[in-house]
Amino acid sequence: MAEPAVNRLPTGTELDAWRSFLRAHARLVRVLETELVAEHPVSLGGYDVLVQLAEAPDRRLRMAELADAVLLSRSGVTRLVDRLELAGMVTRERFTGDGRGVVAVLTTKGVDTLRAASRTHLAGVVRHFVDHFDDKELTAFGELCSRLSG
């Protein structure tokens, strides 16, 4: 792997690769969001919140942990949880031991919504992403992306 460049601009080839990555990401997010919203009462961001809560111990996370897990600001996750709470998919509770802390908790309706939405979302992931690569390419792609995510 090359040393990190200190004072250089990307080459044309490097910019082409970067822009291609951005376009692919934007397109995939757009199409997956459209499919999810068309069939279920949940956005892609809401789906991500439901997944994070479903995978958390006791299906609950502190709001700050949830914000970190879904890569949103605390105010962004608060607004998203507000909408999910209004829809009955999530509730908020005080965190025991810390009167100021609040946890988001996945409800039964949230679990049911997640189950139904997962079929749509995961089928879309296969159709719009996985099916475009063979196993070797997917492995390489995953390893390359892991480098970027640290």
Side-chain angles (χ1 to χ4, degrees), residues 5-140:
V6 176
N7 287 321
R8 79 171 183 89
L9 298 174
T11 66
T13 300
E14 292 165 342
L15 273 176
D16 287 346
W18 172 245
R19 289 175 180 152
S20 180
F21 169 76
L22 291 178
R23 279 191 299 275
H25 178 268
R27 181 192 164 281
L28 287 170
V29 168
R30 212 171 25 250
V31 73
L32 292 171
E33 171 91 16
T34 299
E35 289 177 354
L36 200 54
V37 170
E39 294 189 37
H40 306 281
V42 65
S43 67
L44 196 53
Y47 176 84
D48 192 13
V49 166
L50 298 178
V51 167
Q52 297 303 323
L53 290 173
E55 293 177 350
D58 298 321
R59 295 183 174 166
R60 63 184 60 232
L61 281 173
R62 292 182 78 151
M63 292 295 286
E65 294 170 323
L66 184 56
D68 290 343
V70 297
L71 306 175
L72 288 174
S73 66
R74 288 185 185 191
S75 62
V77 83
T78 296
R79 288 188 299 274
L80 189 49
V81 168
D82 286 344
R83 291 190 296 274
L84 293 170
E85 188 173 32
L86 200 60
M89 294 181 229
V90 171
T91 60
R92 286 181 229 219
E93 297 175 2
R94 289 276 172 217
F95 182 70
T96 53
D98 180 357
R100 297 171 296 145
V102 176
V103 294
V105 182
L106 188 63
T107 65
T108 301
K109 183 177 181 180
V111 170
D112 293 343
T113 300
L114 178 59
R115 276 194 190 112
S118 288
R119 287 188 288 278
T120 299
H121 178 67
L122 297 176
V125 168
V126 169
R127 191 170 48 260
H128 302 296
F129 179 73
V130 174
D131 283 349
H132 294 267
F133 304 99
D134 63 31
D135 289 344
K136 187 175 177 182
E137 290 170 322
L138 281 169
T139 299

